[in-house]
Amino acid sequence: EAKAAGKNHVLALDESGQQRRDRRSKIRRELEASITDGRLFPAFQPQWDLQRNRLHGIELLARMSDPELGAVSPAEFIPLAEESGLIVKLGLWAVVEATQAAKALRARMPSWVREDLRISVNLSSVQLGSPTLVDDLNSAVRTAGGKPEWLRLELTESRQLAEASVIRQRLLNLRALGFTLAIDDFGVGYSSFSYLSSDFFDELKIDRSLLLAAMGSPTRAVVIGSIVAMAHRLGLDVVGEGAESEEQEDLYIAQGCSVIQGFHIARPMPLDSLLDWQGPK
Ligand code: C2E
Ligand code: MG
Ligand code: MG
Ligand code: MG
């Protein structure tokens, strides 16, 4: 009987493994169509400067909602898009959406919109491998009626970023066009200080995992404080990611980081809500 139960257990695991594979291949199949038919849509999350009490920037985050699959997290569909190469098309979609949002914000000019406000778009390291990246991004922005000065590109740390000179040249070319660049998720994965002191980054975003580690650990809080101090001395803006409470915001502030992107400030929201957003309560 125990053997039979064990066998059933294995079958159940297999079944859910099969379900996972089915789901992944369905997402893979639906993703491309989603870009054009609206099942893929942008959400916008404000980055708020608590010291100056004003908006620092806004990050565009892709959202996928399918009638059968329901809401699919980018943590699930972005890796699939990277594997299939569809990330190149998705990345251009995001740039166009961000440009249109920037245009809508500027046309409306709420009091908190500054002339130098940028919308941040995530750039996959897979996209960095494309020789036409710079031209593609530039023409996507121009065709949408905007300027690279309206956007900031977020890159996660990677070995190729630190080591491949062809990729570094692409980044310099993007910057020469007017885009600014941010290092995303700093503190996890492949970290190198070599590109921190380089000329191409304007902003550093501290990963939420560093914040969580620092809660209740003074030595780990010192790590955040040191990163913030170093980044500021290098002339970089610093954004703290993922504060969900006032206590977590206070930790960032105590460590010198007063620009925060987190649920306690605001959750990612549709463009309509963003246009009415008045700042954190
Ligand atoms: P990311 O670029 O680090 O984006 C921040 C993520 O943290 C978002 O998750 C956001 O919803 C989440 N977040 C913000 N504040 C809080 C908080 O207070 N608590 C918690 N628990 N989470 C918070 P999301 O939207 O699920 O995106 C996950 C990742 O997917 C992004 O991480 C980014 O790497 C990737 N991604 C999303 N959209 C795109 C895209 O258009 N292109 C590319 N290449 N990647 C994207
Ligand atoms: Mg990001
Ligand atoms: Mg991030
Ligand atoms: Mg992150």
PDB file of all heavy atoms in Angstrom, residues 88-118:
ATOM      1  N   VAL A  88      13.714  40.560 -28.281  1.00  0.00           N
ATOM      2  CA  VAL A  88      14.102  41.709 -29.100  1.00  0.00           C
ATOM      3  C   VAL A  88      12.859  42.506 -29.493  1.00  0.00           C
ATOM      4  O   VAL A  88      12.810  43.735 -29.355  1.00  0.00           O
ATOM      5  CB  VAL A  88      14.898  41.246 -30.350  1.00  0.00           C
ATOM      6  CG1 VAL A  88      15.141  42.401 -31.305  1.00  0.00           C
ATOM      7  CG2 VAL A  88      16.226  40.622 -29.920  1.00  0.00           C
ATOM      8  N   LYS A  89      11.821  41.787 -29.941  1.00  0.00           N
ATOM      9  CA  LYS A  89      10.558  42.438 -30.312  1.00  0.00           C
ATOM     10  C   LYS A  89       9.866  43.024 -29.077  1.00  0.00           C
ATOM     11  O   LYS A  89       9.348  44.143 -29.101  1.00  0.00           O
ATOM     12  CB  LYS A  89       9.656  41.408 -30.997  1.00  0.00           C
ATOM     13  CG  LYS A  89       8.457  41.999 -31.694  1.00  0.00           C
ATOM     14  CD  LYS A  89       7.714  40.941 -32.507  1.00  0.00           C
ATOM     15  CE  LYS A  89       6.425  41.506 -33.085  1.00  0.00           C
ATOM     16  NZ  LYS A  89       5.611  40.471 -33.744  1.00  0.00           N
ATOM     17  N   LEU A  90       9.872  42.253 -27.997  1.00  0.00           N
ATOM     18  CA  LEU A  90       9.247  42.716 -26.753  1.00  0.00           C
ATOM     19  C   LEU A  90       9.947  43.976 -26.239  1.00  0.00           C
ATOM     20  O   LEU A  90       9.309  44.916 -25.745  1.00  0.00           O
ATOM     21  CB  LEU A  90       9.308  41.593 -25.716  1.00  0.00           C
ATOM     22  CG  LEU A  90       8.437  41.689 -24.471  1.00  0.00           C
ATOM     23  CD1 LEU A  90       8.139  40.297 -23.923  1.00  0.00           C
ATOM     24  CD2 LEU A  90       9.081  42.524 -23.377  1.00  0.00           C
ATOM     25  N   GLY A  91      11.269  43.988 -26.368  1.00  0.00           N
ATOM     26  CA  GLY A  91      12.042  45.143 -25.908  1.00  0.00           C
ATOM     27  C   GLY A  91      11.707  46.405 -26.698  1.00  0.00           C
ATOM     28  O   GLY A  91      11.619  47.494 -26.127  1.00  0.00           O
ATOM     29  N   LEU A  92      11.496  46.260 -27.995  1.00  0.00           N
ATOM     30  CA  LEU A  92      11.123  47.412 -28.819  1.00  0.00           C
ATOM     31  C   LEU A  92       9.701  47.866 -28.491  1.00  0.00           C
ATOM     32  O   LEU A  92       9.419  49.063 -28.434  1.00  0.00           O
ATOM     33  CB  LEU A  92      11.240  47.071 -30.314  1.00  0.00           C
ATOM     34  CG  LEU A  92      12.673  46.946 -30.830  1.00  0.00           C
ATOM     35  CD1 LEU A  92      12.687  46.496 -32.284  1.00  0.00           C
ATOM     36  CD2 LEU A  92      13.420  48.273 -30.678  1.00  0.00           C
ATOM     37  N   TRP A  93       8.838  46.894 -28.261  1.00  0.00           N
ATOM     38  CA  TRP A  93       7.460  47.224 -27.815  1.00  0.00           C
ATOM     39  C   TRP A  93       7.512  48.080 -26.553  1.00  0.00           C
ATOM     40  O   TRP A  93       6.830  49.095 -26.442  1.00  0.00           O
ATOM     41  CB  TRP A  93       6.688  45.917 -27.571  1.00  0.00           C
ATOM     42  CG  TRP A  93       5.412  46.105 -26.801  1.00  0.00           C
ATOM     43  CD1 TRP A  93       4.181  46.435 -27.302  1.00  0.00           C
ATOM     44  CD2 TRP A  93       5.247  46.011 -25.373  1.00  0.00           C
ATOM     45  NE1 TRP A  93       3.271  46.542 -26.278  1.00  0.00           N
ATOM     46  CE2 TRP A  93       3.891  46.288 -25.083  1.00  0.00           C
ATOM     47  CE3 TRP A  93       6.114  45.708 -24.309  1.00  0.00           C
ATOM     48  CZ2 TRP A  93       3.385  46.268 -23.781  1.00  0.00           C
ATOM     49  CZ3 TRP A  93       5.606  45.699 -23.024  1.00  0.00           C
ATOM     50  CH2 TRP A  93       4.259  45.970 -22.767  1.00  0.00           C
ATOM     51  N   ALA A  94       8.338  47.677 -25.586  1.00  0.00           N
ATOM     52  CA  ALA A  94       8.422  48.395 -24.316  1.00  0.00           C
ATOM     53  C   ALA A  94       8.913  49.827 -24.535  1.00  0.00           C
ATOM     54  O   ALA A  94       8.407  50.771 -23.904  1.00  0.00           O
ATOM     55  CB  ALA A  94       9.339  47.651 -23.343  1.00  0.00           C
ATOM     56  N   VAL A  95       9.881  49.982 -25.429  1.00  0.00           N
ATOM     57  CA  VAL A  95      10.421  51.319 -25.709  1.00  0.00           C
ATOM     58  C   VAL A  95       9.351  52.206 -26.348  1.00  0.00           C
ATOM     59  O   VAL A  95       9.208  53.386 -26.006  1.00  0.00           O
ATOM     60  CB  VAL A  95      11.684  51.191 -26.603  1.00  0.00           C
ATOM     61  CG1 VAL A  95      11.986  52.493 -27.319  1.00  0.00           C
ATOM     62  CG2 VAL A  95      12.870  50.747 -25.758  1.00  0.00           C
ATOM     63  N   VAL A  96       8.569  51.645 -27.252  1.00  0.00           N
ATOM     64  CA  VAL A  96       7.484  52.405 -27.886  1.00  0.00           C
ATOM     65  C   VAL A  96       6.428  52.795 -26.842  1.00  0.00           C
ATOM     66  O   VAL A  96       5.992  53.948 -26.776  1.00  0.00           O
ATOM     67  CB  VAL A  96       6.848  51.598 -29.049  1.00  0.00           C
ATOM     68  CG1 VAL A  96       5.568  52.260 -29.539  1.00  0.00           C
ATOM     69  CG2 VAL A  96       7.848  51.448 -30.195  1.00  0.00           C
ATOM     70  N   GLU A  97       6.040  51.849 -26.001  1.00  0.00           N
ATOM     71  CA  GLU A  97       5.048  52.137 -24.959  1.00  0.00           C
ATOM     72  C   GLU A  97       5.556  53.217 -23.999  1.00  0.00           C
ATOM     73  O   GLU A  97       4.802  54.094 -23.573  1.00  0.00           O
ATOM     74  CB  GLU A  97       4.706  50.866 -24.165  1.00  0.00           C
ATOM     75  CG  GLU A  97       3.961  49.804 -24.955  1.00  0.00           C
ATOM     76  CD  GLU A  97       2.501  50.166 -25.251  1.00  0.00           C
ATOM     77  OE1 GLU A  97       1.943  51.041 -24.556  1.00  0.00           O
ATOM     78  OE2 GLU A  97       1.935  49.579 -26.187  1.00  0.00           O
ATOM     79  N   ALA A  98       6.820  53.128 -23.644  1.00  0.00           N
ATOM     80  CA  ALA A  98       7.406  54.108 -22.724  1.00  0.00           C
ATOM     81  C   ALA A  98       7.435  55.491 -23.367  1.00  0.00           C
ATOM     82  O   ALA A  98       7.161  56.504 -22.701  1.00  0.00           O
ATOM     83  CB  ALA A  98       8.817  53.675 -22.318  1.00  0.00           C
ATOM     84  N   THR A  99       7.755  55.542 -24.650  1.00  0.00           N
ATOM     85  CA  THR A  99       7.789  56.825 -25.362  1.00  0.00           C
ATOM     86  C   THR A  99       6.390  57.436 -25.406  1.00  0.00           C
ATOM     87  O   THR A  99       6.211  58.642 -25.155  1.00  0.00           O
ATOM     88  CB  THR A  99       8.317  56.624 -26.800  1.00  0.00           C
ATOM     89  OG1 THR A  99       9.586  55.979 -26.740  1.00  0.00           O
ATOM     90  CG2 THR A  99       8.456  57.951 -27.522  1.00  0.00           C
ATOM     91  N   GLN A 100       5.395  56.609 -25.705  1.00  0.00           N
ATOM     92  CA  GLN A 100       4.016  57.110 -25.758  1.00  0.00           C
ATOM     93  C   GLN A 100       3.555  57.594 -24.390  1.00  0.00           C
ATOM     94  O   GLN A 100       2.874  58.620 -24.284  1.00  0.00           O
ATOM     95  CB  GLN A 100       3.083  56.021 -26.290  1.00  0.00           C
ATOM     96  CG  GLN A 100       3.294  55.772 -27.787  1.00  0.00           C
ATOM     97  CD  GLN A 100       2.587  54.515 -28.289  1.00  0.00           C
ATOM     98  OE1 GLN A 100       2.078  53.716 -27.498  1.00  0.00           O
ATOM     99  NE2 GLN A 100       2.572  54.338 -29.604  1.00  0.00           N
ATOM    100  N   ALA A 101       3.944  56.878 -23.353  1.00  0.00           N
ATOM    101  CA  ALA A 101       3.575  57.293 -21.997  1.00  0.00           C
ATOM    102  C   ALA A 101       4.246  58.620 -21.642  1.00  0.00           C
ATOM    103  O   ALA A 101       3.627  59.505 -21.047  1.00  0.00           O
ATOM    104  CB  ALA A 101       3.966  56.213 -20.994  1.00  0.00           C
ATOM    105  N   ALA A 102       5.521  58.741 -22.015  1.00  0.00           N
ATOM    106  CA  ALA A 102       6.251  59.990 -21.749  1.00  0.00           C
ATOM    107  C   ALA A 102       5.569  61.150 -22.466  1.00  0.00           C
ATOM    108  O   ALA A 102       5.424  62.250 -21.909  1.00  0.00           O
ATOM    109  CB  ALA A 102       7.706  59.857 -22.197  1.00  0.00           C
ATOM    110  N   LYS A 103       5.121  60.883 -23.681  1.00  0.00           N
ATOM    111  CA  LYS A 103       4.440  61.927 -24.446  1.00  0.00           C
ATOM    112  C   LYS A 103       3.129  62.332 -23.760  1.00  0.00           C
ATOM    113  O   LYS A 103       2.824  63.523 -23.616  1.00  0.00           O
ATOM    114  CB  LYS A 103       4.159  61.424 -25.866  1.00  0.00           C
ATOM    115  CG  LYS A 103       3.799  62.537 -26.835  1.00  0.00           C
ATOM    116  CD  LYS A 103       3.251  61.985 -28.126  1.00  0.00           C
ATOM    117  CE  LYS A 103       4.360  61.542 -29.065  1.00  0.00           C
ATOM    118  NZ  LYS A 103       3.816  60.961 -30.307  1.00  0.00           N
ATOM    119  N   ALA A 104       2.377  61.350 -23.309  1.00  0.00           N
ATOM    120  CA  ALA A 104       1.102  61.629 -22.628  1.00  0.00           C
ATOM    121  C   ALA A 104       1.328  62.422 -21.343  1.00  0.00           C
ATOM    122  O   ALA A 104       0.597  63.374 -21.047  1.00  0.00           O
ATOM    123  CB  ALA A 104       0.377  60.322 -22.322  1.00  0.00           C
ATOM    124  N   LEU A 105       2.375  62.053 -20.595  1.00  0.00           N
ATOM    125  CA  LEU A 105       2.685  62.770 -19.354  1.00  0.00           C
ATOM    126  C   LEU A 105       3.065  64.210 -19.650  1.00  0.00           C
ATOM    127  O   LEU A 105       2.651  65.136 -18.956  1.00  0.00           O
ATOM    128  CB  LEU A 105       3.831  62.075 -18.623  1.00  0.00           C
ATOM    129  CG  LEU A 105       3.479  60.827 -17.830  1.00  0.00           C
ATOM    130  CD1 LEU A 105       4.741  60.052 -17.482  1.00  0.00           C
ATOM    131  CD2 LEU A 105       2.718  61.188 -16.563  1.00  0.00           C
ATOM    132  N   ARG A 106       3.877  64.388 -20.685  1.00  0.00           N
ATOM    133  CA  ARG A 106       4.332  65.734 -21.023  1.00  0.00           C
ATOM    134  C   ARG A 106       3.201  66.613 -21.525  1.00  0.00           C
ATOM    135  O   ARG A 106       3.129  67.802 -21.211  1.00  0.00           O
ATOM    136  CB  ARG A 106       5.435  65.662 -22.088  1.00  0.00           C
ATOM    137  CG  ARG A 106       6.794  65.512 -21.480  1.00  0.00           C
ATOM    138  CD  ARG A 106       7.760  64.788 -22.399  1.00  0.00           C
ATOM    139  NE  ARG A 106       8.763  64.117 -21.592  1.00  0.00           N
ATOM    140  CZ  ARG A 106       9.882  64.707 -21.165  1.00  0.00           C
ATOM    141  NH1 ARG A 106      10.150  65.930 -21.520  1.00  0.00           N
ATOM    142  NH2 ARG A 106      10.711  64.059 -20.398  1.00  0.00           N
ATOM    143  N   ALA A 107       2.302  66.009 -22.329  1.00  0.00           N
ATOM    144  CA  ALA A 107       1.173  66.779 -22.864  1.00  0.00           C
ATOM    145  C   ALA A 107       0.298  67.269 -21.726  1.00  0.00           C
ATOM    146  O   ALA A 107      -0.246  68.366 -21.759  1.00  0.00           O
ATOM    147  CB  ALA A 107       0.377  65.907 -23.824  1.00  0.00           C
ATOM    148  N   ARG A 108       0.183  66.452 -20.719  1.00  0.00           N
ATOM    149  CA  ARG A 108      -0.710  66.767 -19.616  1.00  0.00           C
ATOM    150  C   ARG A 108      -0.044  67.656 -18.567  1.00  0.00           C
ATOM    151  O   ARG A 108      -0.715  68.419 -17.875  1.00  0.00           O
ATOM    152  CB  ARG A 108      -1.131  65.461 -18.972  1.00  0.00           C
ATOM    153  CG  ARG A 108      -2.442  65.556 -18.286  1.00  0.00           C
ATOM    154  CD  ARG A 108      -2.939  64.162 -18.036  1.00  0.00           C
ATOM    155  NE  ARG A 108      -3.748  64.150 -16.853  1.00  0.00           N
ATOM    156  CZ  ARG A 108      -4.891  63.507 -16.780  1.00  0.00           C
ATOM    157  NH1 ARG A 108      -5.320  62.822 -17.794  1.00  0.00           N
ATOM    158  NH2 ARG A 108      -5.589  63.533 -15.678  1.00  0.00           N
ATOM    159  N   MET A 109       1.276  67.482 -18.500  1.00  0.00           N
ATOM    160  CA  MET A 109       2.079  68.306 -17.592  1.00  0.00           C
ATOM    161  C   MET A 109       1.506  68.466 -16.193  1.00  0.00           C
ATOM    162  O   MET A 109       1.220  69.581 -15.754  1.00  0.00           O
ATOM    163  CB  MET A 109       2.298  69.701 -18.195  1.00  0.00           C
ATOM    164  CG  MET A 109       3.474  69.746 -19.135  1.00  0.00           C
ATOM    165  SD  MET A 109       4.971  69.335 -18.232  1.00  0.00           S
ATOM    166  CE  MET A 109       6.145  69.201 -19.550  1.00  0.00           C
ATOM    167  N   PRO A 110       1.304  67.397 -15.477  1.00  0.00           N
ATOM    168  CA  PRO A 110       0.927  67.579 -14.075  1.00  0.00           C
ATOM    169  C   PRO A 110       2.058  68.320 -13.363  1.00  0.00           C
ATOM    170  O   PRO A 110       3.192  68.297 -13.836  1.00  0.00           O
ATOM    171  CB  PRO A 110       0.814  66.147 -13.534  1.00  0.00           C
ATOM    172  CG  PRO A 110       0.835  65.260 -14.725  1.00  0.00           C
ATOM    173  CD  PRO A 110       1.556  66.001 -15.807  1.00  0.00           C
ATOM    174  N   SER A 111       1.737  68.947 -12.263  1.00  0.00           N
ATOM    175  CA  SER A 111       2.716  69.823 -11.620  1.00  0.00           C
ATOM    176  C   SER A 111       4.001  69.083 -11.261  1.00  0.00           C
ATOM    177  O   SER A 111       5.074  69.679 -11.228  1.00  0.00           O
ATOM    178  CB  SER A 111       2.102  70.413 -10.356  1.00  0.00           C
ATOM    179  OG  SER A 111       1.689  69.368  -9.502  1.00  0.00           O
ATOM    180  N   TRP A 112       3.890  67.770 -11.014  1.00  0.00           N
ATOM    181  CA  TRP A 112       5.068  67.055 -10.550  1.00  0.00           C
ATOM    182  C   TRP A 112       5.952  66.555 -11.693  1.00  0.00           C
ATOM    183  O   TRP A 112       6.974  65.945 -11.442  1.00  0.00           O
ATOM    184  CB  TRP A 112       4.672  65.895  -9.630  1.00  0.00           C
ATOM    185  CG  TRP A 112       3.522  65.057 -10.126  1.00  0.00           C
ATOM    186  CD1 TRP A 112       2.216  65.203  -9.775  1.00  0.00           C
ATOM    187  CD2 TRP A 112       3.576  63.967 -11.030  1.00  0.00           C
ATOM    188  NE1 TRP A 112       1.448  64.267 -10.399  1.00  0.00           N
ATOM    189  CE2 TRP A 112       2.250  63.497 -11.179  1.00  0.00           C
ATOM    190  CE3 TRP A 112       4.600  63.328 -11.750  1.00  0.00           C
ATOM    191  CZ2 TRP A 112       1.921  62.429 -12.011  1.00  0.00           C
ATOM    192  CZ3 TRP A 112       4.266  62.269 -12.567  1.00  0.00           C
ATOM    193  CH2 TRP A 112       2.940  61.833 -12.698  1.00  0.00           C
ATOM    194  N   VAL A 113       5.534  66.795 -12.912  1.00  0.00           N
ATOM    195  CA  VAL A 113       6.379  66.331 -14.013  1.00  0.00           C
ATOM    196  C   VAL A 113       7.479  67.340 -14.294  1.00  0.00           C
ATOM    197  O   VAL A 113       7.230  68.503 -14.578  1.00  0.00           O
ATOM    198  CB  VAL A 113       5.557  66.097 -15.299  1.00  0.00           C
ATOM    199  CG1 VAL A 113       6.478  65.695 -16.446  1.00  0.00           C
ATOM    200  CG2 VAL A 113       4.524  65.019 -15.069  1.00  0.00           C
ATOM    201  N   ARG A 114       8.680  66.879 -14.205  1.00  0.00           N
ATOM    202  CA  ARG A 114       9.805  67.744 -14.500  1.00  0.00           C
ATOM    203  C   ARG A 114      10.206  67.563 -15.953  1.00  0.00           C
ATOM    204  O   ARG A 114       9.952  66.543 -16.553  1.00  0.00           O
ATOM    205  CB  ARG A 114      10.986  67.397 -13.597  1.00  0.00           C
ATOM    206  CG  ARG A 114      10.766  67.733 -12.142  1.00  0.00           C
ATOM    207  CD  ARG A 114      11.943  67.291 -11.311  1.00  0.00           C
ATOM    208  NE  ARG A 114      11.999  65.840 -11.183  1.00  0.00           N
ATOM    209  CZ  ARG A 114      13.075  65.124 -11.400  1.00  0.00           C
ATOM    210  NH1 ARG A 114      14.188  65.692 -11.770  1.00  0.00           N
ATOM    211  NH2 ARG A 114      13.039  63.810 -11.257  1.00  0.00           N
ATOM    212  N   GLU A 115      10.867  68.550 -16.505  1.00  0.00           N
ATOM    213  CA  GLU A 115      11.316  68.470 -17.893  1.00  0.00           C
ATOM    214  C   GLU A 115      12.267  67.282 -18.088  1.00  0.00           C
ATOM    215  O   GLU A 115      12.308  66.657 -19.136  1.00  0.00           O
ATOM    216  CB  GLU A 115      12.036  69.770 -18.282  1.00  0.00           C
ATOM    217  CG  GLU A 115      11.529  70.507 -19.497  1.00  0.00           C
ATOM    218  CD  GLU A 115      10.599  69.736 -20.445  1.00  0.00           C
ATOM    219  OE1 GLU A 115      11.124  68.989 -21.294  1.00  0.00           O
ATOM    220  OE2 GLU A 115       9.367  69.868 -20.351  1.00  0.00           O
ATOM    221  N   ASP A 116      13.041  66.973 -17.043  1.00  0.00           N
ATOM    222  CA  ASP A 116      14.046  65.920 -17.195  1.00  0.00           C
ATOM    223  C   ASP A 116      13.543  64.553 -16.724  1.00  0.00           C
ATOM    224  O   ASP A 116      14.320  63.629 -16.552  1.00  0.00           O
ATOM    225  CB  ASP A 116      15.340  66.298 -16.464  1.00  0.00           C
ATOM    226  CG  ASP A 116      15.109  66.544 -14.977  1.00  0.00           C
ATOM    227  OD1 ASP A 116      13.934  66.641 -14.570  1.00  0.00           O
ATOM    228  OD2 ASP A 116      16.096  66.632 -14.224  1.00  0.00           O
ATOM    229  N   LEU A 117      12.250  64.443 -16.549  1.00  0.00           N
ATOM    230  CA  LEU A 117      11.683  63.151 -16.137  1.00  0.00           C
ATOM    231  C   LEU A 117      11.894  62.086 -17.217  1.00  0.00           C
ATOM    232  O   LEU A 117      11.685  62.328 -18.395  1.00  0.00           O
ATOM    233  CB  LEU A 117      10.178  63.305 -15.892  1.00  0.00           C
ATOM    234  CG  LEU A 117       9.474  62.012 -15.484  1.00  0.00           C
ATOM    235  CD1 LEU A 117       9.785  61.673 -14.036  1.00  0.00           C
ATOM    236  CD2 LEU A 117       7.979  62.123 -15.691  1.00  0.00           C
ATOM    237  N   ARG A 118      12.341  60.927 -16.781  1.00  0.00           N
ATOM    238  CA  ARG A 118      12.542  59.824 -17.733  1.00  0.00           C
ATOM    239  C   ARG A 118      11.719  58.624 -17.331  1.00  0.00           C
ATOM    240  O   ARG A 118      11.498  58.382 -16.148  1.00  0.00           O
ATOM    241  CB  ARG A 118      14.014  59.420 -17.776  1.00  0.00           C
ATOM    242  CG  ARG A 118      14.914  60.457 -18.446  1.00  0.00           C
ATOM    243  CD  ARG A 118      16.366  60.022 -18.404  1.00  0.00           C
ATOM    244  NE  ARG A 118      17.238  61.079 -18.895  1.00  0.00           N
ATOM    245  CZ  ARG A 118      17.810  61.085 -20.110  1.00  0.00           C
ATOM    246  NH1 ARG A 118      17.616  60.079 -20.942  1.00  0.00           N
ATOM    247  NH2 ARG A 118      18.581  62.083 -20.475  1.00  0.00           N
TER     248      ARG A 118
END
